[in-house]
Amino acid sequence: MPYAMQITGPGGPEVFERIHVPRPVPGPGQVLVRVAAVGVNFIETYQRSGVYAVDYPFVPGVEAAGTIEEIGAGVAGFAVGDRVATTEGAGTYGDYMVLDAEKALPVPDGVSNDAAAALPAQGITAHYLISSSYRVQPGDTVLTYAGAGGVGLLLIQLLKLRGATVITTTSTPEKAVVAREAGADHVLDYADVPERVRELTGGRGADVVYDGIGKDTFEGSLDALRVRGTLVLFGGASGQVPPFDLQQLNAHGSLTVTRPKIDDFLLDAGERRWRSEEIFGLMADGKLRVNIGARYPLERAADAHTAMEARATTGKVILVP
């Protein structure tokens, strides 16, 4: 009988329990996917702990890859046996997921199930950041933080493919090596970042800053930009940026600030296909690598959460049913 990993209520990793569930049945416009690998995202630790409110009991997970076993009425373009992935699933910590067909992303040959589960959320995030929030052009100078993190490593690779000069930050020398191996031109620690960016750019500043840290780096991000530069604030790992005076944008040189989220860049099936086909295609061609830092059996979801919360992992964490 299929099983899933359920959270019984808010708390530590010990609140996970392995439960048997009926084999789901896809409805109209849906496909039933046998899950081969699950991408774990840090937000799921917040849902488990109660930082983010969810209705308990709760099976977490939005990101996974697997094989279609059954197709609901009205679905076109997919067949039983096709491999698909998603970053818009629900309850993916299990043997099966029912998925709206328009949210299923075809996985090409040459991309493993593990990689397909690890790539969608962070890969599509990196794609919309450099293609839509601010469209990077050859010759642009880009500052992005946390260059050894999941999004950071993908951003560096995609930015280099666009012909950009990449400045990034890391917290340790070991992580700096990882960022350089991904292609970063300059790797800084977190001290005096705006001043060092201006030194590297002859006083001009960066064309764009991709900032997923938020509160602790926001002011420095503004200071690191050129006149009429763009700050793309896509996360708040250090906390949310408090309200600020828009006149600061004028004072810093007529800057632009945008605060995107992934849902607004996956508005329809066509947009999903465009983004996923580009990132999966680059991976299939060997031009993009995803770093899978840890792989746990699904029943050890609690151990995966423990390791992530202890910052004991690098790269993407996946679960395997």
Side-chain angles (χ1 to χ4, degrees):
M1 190 172 183
Y3 78 93
M5 296 304 297
Q6 179 176 267
I7 296 169
T8 57
E14 72 280 354
V15 300
F16 272 111
E17 65 175 4
R18 185 177 185 270
I19 61 167
H20 289 290
V21 294
R23 183 178 184 272
V25 176
Q30 296 181 322
V31 294
L32 175 66
V33 179
R34 176 79 184 202
V35 175
V38 179
V40 183
N41 294 289
F42 207 85
I43 190 174
E44 289 142 25
T45 69
Y46 294 152
Q47 293 167 337
R48 188 215 70 233
S49 66
V51 172
Y52 289 176
V54 296
D55 293 328
Y56 303 103
F58 173 70
V59 176
V62 297
E63 189 176 33
T67 302
I68 294 176
E69 286 198 356
E70 190 175 340
I71 292 177
V75 173
F78 290 104
V80 171
D82 286 350
R83 290 193 306 138
V84 296
T86 190
T87 185
E88 299 176 276
T92 61
Y93 283 33
D95 283 332
Y96 285 95
M97 65 176 172
V98 171
L99 181 64
D100 292 343
E102 66 176 12
K103 297 178 180 178
L105 312 175
V107 177
D109 294 340
V111 176
S112 69
N113 287 324
D114 285 4
L119 188 60
Q122 294 174 342
I124 288 174
T125 295
H127 187 276
Y128 84 69
L129 289 176
I130 72 170
S131 300
S132 303
S133 294
Y134 171 92
R135 187 165 183 83
V136 174
Q137 302 295 324
D140 279 351
T141 297
V142 179
L143 169 64
T144 181
Y145 299 96
V151 173
L153 286 170
L154 293 170
L155 265 176
I156 291 169
Q157 295 175 74
L158 292 173
L159 287 166
K160 293 310 297 179
L161 290 170
R162 290 281 177 94
T165 297
V166 180
I167 305 170
T168 193
T169 62
T170 62
S171 58
T172 68
E174 294 78 14
K175 290 182 178 180
V177 171
V178 174
R180 288 192 184 95
E181 289 176 346
D185 297 284
H186 307 283
V187 182
L188 313 177
D189 58 28
Y190 284 87
D192 304 319
V193 170
E195 294 82 358
R196 296 166 76 185
V197 169
R198 293 204 175 272
E199 289 173 6
L200 292 169
T201 58
R204 179 175 182 269
D207 295 282
V208 60
V209 177
Y210 293 110
D211 186 341
I213 296 179
K215 180 170 65 69
D216 290 351
T217 52
F218 181 75
E219 292 292 340
S221 295
L222 294 177
D223 290 339
L225 284 165
R226 65 164 170 83
V227 171
R228 286 167 34 197
T230 298
L231 169 55
V232 183
L233 181 69
F234 68 96
S238 68
Q240 299 305 311
V241 174
F244 79 105
D245 183 358
L246 288 174
Q247 190 63 21
Q248 289 188 54
L249 304 182
N250 178 311
H252 281 82
S254 301
L255 303 182
T256 297
V257 174
T258 183
R259 179 60 175 93
K261 66 178 186 296
I262 191 170
D263 294 352
D264 294 330
F265 294 86
L266 295 170
L267 292 182
D268 54 41
E271 189 167 37
R272 292 183 182 96
R273 287 290 183 97
W274 167 48
R275 300 194 192 281
S276 65
E277 286 176 358
E278 285 203 5
I279 60 171
F280 280 136
L282 290 170
M283 177 168 283
D285 291 341
K287 296 178 180 178
L288 184 66
R289 295 179 293 108
V290 62
N291 178 17
I292 298 175
R295 190 176 188 269
Y296 292 86
L298 179 60
E299 61 265 25
R300 291 180 54 199
D303 293 338
H305 277 218
T306 297
M308 290 179 68
E309 289 176 307
R311 308 294 180 181
T313 62
T314 58
K316 189 71 175 184
V317 175
I318 62 170
L319 302 173
V320 181

